[in-house]
Every structure is written in structure tokens, then in C-alpha cells.
Amino acid sequence: MSWQGVIHQYRDYLPFDADVQIVTLNEGNTPLVAAPRLAELIAPGANLRLFLKYEGLNPTGSFKDRGMTAAITQAVAEGSKTVICASTGNTAASAAAYAARAGLRCLVLVPEGKIALGKLAACLAYGADVISIDGSFDEGLDMVRAIVERQPVTLVNSINPWRLEGQKTGSFEIIDQLGGQAPDWHCLPVGNAGNISAYWMGYKQYGKGLPRVLGGQATGSAPIVTGKVVEKPETLATAIRIGNPARWRQALEALDESDGIITAVTDEKILESWHLLAKREGVFVEPASATGVAALKQQIERGAIDPTNKTAVCVLTGHGLKDPGTAVDQATPPISMPADIDALENYLTS
Ligand code: F0G
């Protein structure tokens, strides 16, 4: 039977009732791509086995679909008619898609001017009520937390435990794809800290070994690294522009229990890894998604991680087409020439 999504695939590990009607877009089963050129660049001669978990290939272009199939499935099972979330864009697009599929109304609160174009376009296409707030993600999250106390709507941010249940299937897949064992290092970007918490839950539950966890935050939005709420988070990686993560405590647990590391990487280093992924390995991601790679590169350079004969998985959380604006801004502009063979030959040989 072909792949039918993460709930179907990992049903025995998920606490759904037996008769639940699954809402799925056949998410999951994303490739674990070997990245030997990048490995050699960040750890020359060390025999680092580096893999990229390309979560941008999920149905709505980000890792959020794993958790959203679970949250929307459960919302429908509980009779919910409306779902709501605050989002930097990817949760919103995912919620909008799964809600559309289930026939639910979906409200998404996004920070005005700080959501990448591909995410906004998708939310609008899926027919969500897109509410652009004059405030940050964190303020939006406060608003949705408050509204669900007053109105019969279901919150589908990662505070919702079903989101983590679905999301943890990422760990199961990585282990299955590595032939039944966990990597030495599991590297990923950290924003609201749902993903790091879910991956750790998954590794513990699967019982096939545990990695050490390396989380990367953008320097301008690094509350877990500094131990302080960031009132005005800033970063070009808008997906992780978050100052007060909802799953902060669980993230600390994952870091503590795995003997992990959380580190801040500058926007310049995020962009450097973003370029390397595309130009060295042919893998195009949105900037935030390169933060795990940037963190790994940085920690190897600092001597905090010994890459020798290690296996590392970097989770690439969102597709490059999510943020076409940054991609075009960062690139050399296209070459203009007349529609003429001589001009082309001249260019090719100059
Ligand atoms: N990478 C991308 C592309 C994201 O969209 C997010 C979070 C993260 C990493 C961080 O994951 O929050 O679980 O620590 N995006 C959320 C959103 C906040 O609203 O789409 P996290």
C-alpha cells in the first residue's frame, strides 16, 4: 500500500481512538538526503555522515503538516467547527490547508509585514481568515490563548498536545531511514520550541537510541540561549522571530536529557548555510531552515562538537519557495542579454 500519512504509518505510537477519521494530505515520508559535499566542507577529513531531513517537501511545504494532521484530526473528532492559531506563517498555512480539507473554519493571526510571501499566498489560497496584527508572533499567541478561553474554537499552535503527537513521527522516520538507529546529533532551528520538544518525545518513545540535540536560534531572537524573554525579536529568518517560546520548558528538558546544546547564530551565518545548502547540495530551503546547519558548522568550528565518524541529521523545516523575497534579495540578479546566439556564445566563453 502506498504511503497514507504519518498517523496511518505510526498509528501504534499515537493515542487516537480506534474509530477516528483521519484528516491527512499524506504528509511525512520526506527524504533523508545525504550531504557529503557539505559534510566535507564543514568538517574536512572527519568522515562526518551528514543527512538533511527535507521537511520542506511536506504537502504545504513545511514540517508543520506532521503535527497538523494530528491536531485537525482530533479537532474534528471532538466536534470542533473552528480552529485558530498565531503564526510566523508556516503553522498558518498548514492549519489552513488541513482545516480546508476537513471543512473547518480557520483563523490565522500573523505579524504584519513579517510573514514571507509564499506563506501568505498559501493561507489566502486555502481560504483561511488571515488576520494581520500590528504586533509580534508572541502577542498573537497571547491573543489566541485568550480567545479560546472565551469562545468555542480550537487552538492549533503547538501548545495543543496533538501537534507534538503528530510531529514526533519525524523522529520515527529518521530512525527508520537510518536503518533502525538514532543519529549522534540531531540539529534543528528553534522558534516556539514545539519541534525540538516533539522530536525528543519521539526519540524517547521509539526506544531505538537517543541523539544529542543541537538547537539553533537566531542571535536577535534567542531567548532560550540567553535565558531571557526577548521583547522585540529580530531576524531575517522570520519563521523563528519569536521572543517567548511556548514550549521553552520542554526544550530545556530535551537539551538537558540529551546532553544537548542550544546556540545562537547570526543572520549572516544563517544565510551562509542557506547558500551552502542550495549551491553545494542543491537543496533550497527558507532561511530559518538553515539554522540547524549553521549551528552545527559553528559548534564544530568552536570545537564544541567533534564530528569525527559521527552521524548528524539536520532538519530542514521549510521549502525555499516559502520566502522567494529573501531568495531574490540575496542572489546575484539574472544576466540580461539580447535574444541572440552570438551574445550567448560570447558570454559562455568570456
Ligand atoms: N523552521 C521553520 C521554517 C518554522 O516555520 C518554524 C516555526 C521553526 C523552524 C521553529 O519551529 O517553533 O517548533 O521551534 N514556525 C512557527 C510558525 C512558529 O508559526 O509557523 P518551532
Side-chain angles (χ1 to χ4, degrees):
M1 194 59 180
S2 64
W3 185 271
Q4 293 172 58
V6 297
I7 298 179
H8 183 266
Q9 185 70 18
Y10 295 109
R11 188 63 189 263
D12 293 349
Y13 297 87
L14 298 169
F16 287 103
D17 286 346
D19 58 351
V20 77
Q21 293 292 310
I22 299 172
V23 181
T24 180
L25 283 161
N26 296 17
E27 61 295 311
N29 198 21
T30 57
L32 188 70
V33 182
R37 297 189 70 215
L38 191 56
E40 189 51 30
L41 188 111
I42 67 177
N47 189 33
L48 169 67
R49 291 179 298 274
L50 178 62
F51 294 92
L52 309 170
K53 182 66 172 158
Y54 200 0
E55 288 286 275
L57 295 188
N58 274 298
T60 77
S62 86
F63 74 101
K64 305 285 182 179
D65 295 344
R66 291 179 188 277
M68 206 54 76
T69 180
I72 299 292
T73 292
Q74 187 60 20
V76 171
E78 290 172 6
S80 176
K81 299 282 176 259
T82 304
V83 296
I84 192 166
C85 65
S87 180
T88 57
N90 281 326
T91 299
S94 187
Y98 285 81
R101 201 158 169 85
L104 305 181
R105 184 175 181 201
C106 178
L107 279 67
V108 302
L109 273 66
V110 297
E112 176 101 55
K114 298 291 183 186
I115 165 172
L117 190 61
K119 305 176 189 181
L120 182 62
C123 292
L124 295 169
Y126 293 129
D129 300 3
V130 180
I131 300 162
S132 192
I133 61 162
D134 175 19
S136 64
F137 166 86
D138 303 283
E139 289 169 292
L141 192 58
D142 288 345
M143 287 169 70
V144 299
R145 280 178 131 146
I147 199 79
V148 298
E149 299 295 320
R150 298 199 205 172
Q151 293 294 325
V153 295
T154 303
L155 184 70
V156 293
N157 280 103
S158 57
I159 306 160
N160 179 329
W162 291 95
R163 282 280 310 283
L164 300 200
E165 290 294 334
Q167 188 58 44
K168 75 186 179 190
T169 62
S171 315
F172 305 162
E173 260 180 53
I174 289 172
I175 288 175
D176 292 346
Q177 288 170 318
L178 287 175
Q181 62 191 45
D184 297 302
W185 283 96
H186 177 98
C187 318
L188 79 176
V190 177
N192 210 28
N195 208 18
I196 188 172
S197 307
Y199 266 109
W200 188 242
M201 265 173 66
Y203 281 118
K204 288 198 292 188
Q205 185 181 2
Y206 219 38
K208 298 186 182 180
L210 299 170
R212 294 177 71 185
V213 175
L214 171 62
Q217 297 204 289
T219 302
S221 306
I224 303 179
V225 179
T226 59
K228 283 199 288 286
V229 170
V230 179
E231 295 297 339
K232 295 208 178 314
E234 275 310 335
T235 169
L236 164 147
T238 53
I240 52 171
R241 190 172 164 274
I242 294 173
N244 189 11
R247 293 280 183 181
W248 192 329
R249 187 180 53 77
Q250 287 94 328
L252 290 177
E253 270 170 29
L255 291 163
D256 181 45
E257 291 176 17
S258 78
D259 192 20
I261 301 175
I262 182 108
T263 189
V265 282
T266 62
D267 281 5
E268 290 69 30
K269 288 194 169 161
I270 293 173
L271 281 177
E272 178 199 44
S273 288
W274 174 84
H275 271 294
L276 288 174
L277 282 163
K279 292 184 176 172
R280 296 260 171 169
E281 296 290 3
V283 177
F284 181 35
V285 298
E286 66 169 285
S289 301
T291 309
V293 175
L296 179 62
K297 183 169 183 290
Q298 171 169 289
Q299 295 313 101
I300 291 173
E301 281 164 6
R302 288 181 176 170
I305 289 180
D306 175 5
T308 313
N309 297 322
K310 296 290 190 320
T311 302
V313 170
C314 293
V315 183
L316 307 181
T317 45
H319 198 280
L321 292 174
K322 289 279 189 177
D323 191 354
T326 303
V328 172
D329 287 350
Q330 292 301 318
T332 326
I335 295 136
S336 297
M337 69 171 65
D340 171 53
I341 179 71
D342 292 333
L344 179 60
E345 191 167 36
N346 200 20
Y347 172 74
L348 191 63
T349 55
S350 65

